[in-house]
Amino acid sequence: MPTTINPLRYPGAKRQLVPYISRLLESNNLLGSTFYEPYAGSAVVGLELLQKGLINKLILVEKDVLIYSFWKCVFSCAEELCNRIEETSIDIKTWITLKPLRDVKNPHDSNLLDLGFAGLFFNRTNFSGILKANPIGGINQDSSYKIDCRFNKPLLIALIKKLAQLKDRVEIHWDDAINFMNKIKSNFLKEKSFVYFDPPYYSKGEKLYRHFYSSVDHESLANFVRHSKHYDWLISYDDAPYICGLYSGIGAKYCPFYLDYSVSKKQRSTGKELLISNLPLPPVNIYKKLIINN
Ligand SMILES: C[S@@+](CC[C@H](N)C(=O)[O-])C[C@H]1O[C@@H](n2cnc3c(N)ncnc32)[C@H](O)[C@@H]1O
């Protein structure tokens, strides 16, 4: 059985937290909630909870045009996306042809399928899944690792088709996380909801994502959360004194955890991160850790 359950190999993906978040929902009577992931990325947490039947609906928000478009294709035109995967050569010529799509600023300015395929393509052919990075093996392809070494077409097609079956229970929005959350405030009063914020890392965000946060943005998120009274929430962050300072004083609970992340396989390392929530947080290490290698 492959351990891969998500088509994206996403920097900072939080699959290791799925067992913990499942238990958190269970112990706070939040099973069956509408689950919000306003910084979607690979959306691995929400999608896995949905597949396990632990949440009722998943609302995703992502600011990156290519990642948003990829998920939009999965949940609105999966068949066409899979055909495109089948038909396209995974080589440096395609990488160069698709490169201008990295500059598209608005998903409505271009063809959704082109953008969605480009999102998957760059995620799976670039170093460490970083959309703004260079291709695996370099532009000259003179390394023993080639551009297609992480692009298993049959596996990706199977994963996408499986996820597409969830389309009636997933919404994906191209938006700024806080802007979106401000717009939909009244929904929280109508349904049982839980929000999982996984913002760009404080210290490495700029290297990993095309959209990252300055100190002012991290402060805006903390201020937004401070005034979030109508739902329960969890935030994951890298463990920086600056971030702890932002959340102290709002009655939040903290819990450290260790994430095995593989920016590259050779440099696999463990990073100390933080969970912050309005809910009581049990220690993370009581749950089995998953090592992801996709
Ligand atoms: C730490 S990653 C999320 C990883 C995700 N939880 C996972 O498991 O794959 C942060 C994500 O937020 C996105 N992002 C950055 N700024 C954003 C913003 N202002 N609004 C919404 N998404 C944003 C980035 O593009 C990136 O995909």
Side-chain angles (χ1 to χ4, degrees):
M1 266 298 271
T3 55
T4 311
I5 57 130
N6 193 290
L8 300 180
R9 47 189 299 258
Y10 215 71
K14 301 298 186 308
R15 187 180 173 201
Q16 292 166 62
L17 289 179
V18 172
Y20 184 84
I21 295 178
S22 307
R23 289 292 295 273
L24 193 67
L25 296 180
E26 192 187 347
S27 51
N28 289 283
N29 194 26
L30 287 162
L31 293 178
S33 295
T34 297
F35 191 90
Y36 289 78
E37 273 193 84
Y39 300 90
S42 74
V44 67
V45 172
L47 288 171
E48 204 165 322
L49 293 173
L50 194 59
Q51 281 178 321
K52 288 174 190 283
L54 300 176
I55 56 172
N56 186 40
K57 198 170 168 194
L58 176 62
I59 315 280
L60 302 174
V61 184
E62 174 57 58
K63 193 168 179 182
D64 190 295
V65 168
L66 295 182
I67 297 301
Y68 157 80
S69 302
F70 169 69
W71 286 122
K72 188 77 185 166
C73 287
V74 169
F75 297 113
S76 67
C77 54
E79 200 62 41
E80 290 90 330
L81 179 62
C82 291
N83 291 342
R84 181 68 68 91
I85 294 170
E86 196 90 70
E87 287 159 6
T88 309
S89 306
I90 310 304
D91 56 22
I92 202 72
K93 197 166 158 241
T94 303
W95 194 93
I96 290 166
T97 309
L98 294 179
K99 200 170 167 228
L101 293 176
R102 295 203 294 192
D103 299 328
V104 174
K105 300 280 181 270
N106 183 323
H108 309 300
D109 289 347
S110 200
N111 175 281
L112 179 72
L113 186 58
D114 291 345
L115 290 171
F117 177 73
L120 176 71
F121 184 88
F122 288 121
N123 174 265
R124 299 233 50 120
T125 62
N126 284 359
F127 287 114
S128 303
I130 298 172
L131 294 185
K132 58 188 176 185
N134 273 333
I136 300 169
I139 296 284
N140 298 324
Q141 291 292 283
D142 48 14
S143 148
S144 50
Y145 290 101
K146 303 293 180 209
I147 190 169
D148 62 350
C149 68
R150 296 293 184 122
F151 210 108
N152 179 337
K153 285 187 177 184
L155 178 60
L156 291 172
I157 289 171
L159 289 170
I160 288 169
K161 287 189 173 167
K162 191 150 187 253
L163 289 172
Q165 292 169 6
L166 302 169
K167 67 175 183 208
D168 294 335
R169 295 207 278 148
V170 183
E171 278 178 25
I172 166 86
H173 299 266
W174 176 62
D175 209 337
D176 167 77
I178 299 174
N179 192 41
F180 177 85
M181 295 302 289
N182 270 320
K183 282 191 293 197
I184 50 105
K185 263 180 188 162
S186 60
N187 291 11
F188 295 120
L189 300 172
K190 293 185 214 141
E191 55 195 19
K192 191 155 74 167
S193 305
F194 185 81
V195 184
Y196 170 42
F197 298 97
D198 186 24
Y201 286 121
Y202 175 67
S203 49
K204 285 205 208 110
E206 186 168 357
K207 281 194 191 134
L208 300 177
Y209 312 111
R210 304 193 309 160
H211 296 278
F212 45 89
Y213 267 8
S214 64
S215 299
V216 173
D217 299 315
H218 290 293
E219 280 166 35
S220 302
L221 176 60
N223 279 332
F224 176 79
V225 167
R226 185 188 300 267
H227 296 108
S228 301
K229 304 282 180 230
H230 300 301
Y231 53 85
D232 293 310
W233 51 267
L234 177 75
I235 309 180
S236 43
Y237 248 123
D238 40 344
D239 183 21
Y242 175 80
I243 297 298
C244 293
L246 289 182
Y247 288 88
S248 57
I250 64 167
K253 300 2 169 238
Y254 292 86
C255 176
F257 70 102
Y258 294 86
L259 196 65
D260 287 314
Y261 50 86
S262 51
V263 168
S264 101
K265 223 172 175 183
K266 273 188 220 148
Q267 299 166 351
R268 190 183 285 282
S269 57
T270 303
K272 187 173 176 206
E273 310 216 359
L274 271 187
L275 289 176
I276 309 165
S277 179
N278 67 316
L279 296 172
L281 291 173
V284 173
N285 59 6
I286 56 174
Y287 302 105
K288 193 176 152 230
K289 238 190 224 170
L290 292 161
I291 307 290
I292 302 152
N293 182 20
N294 65 342

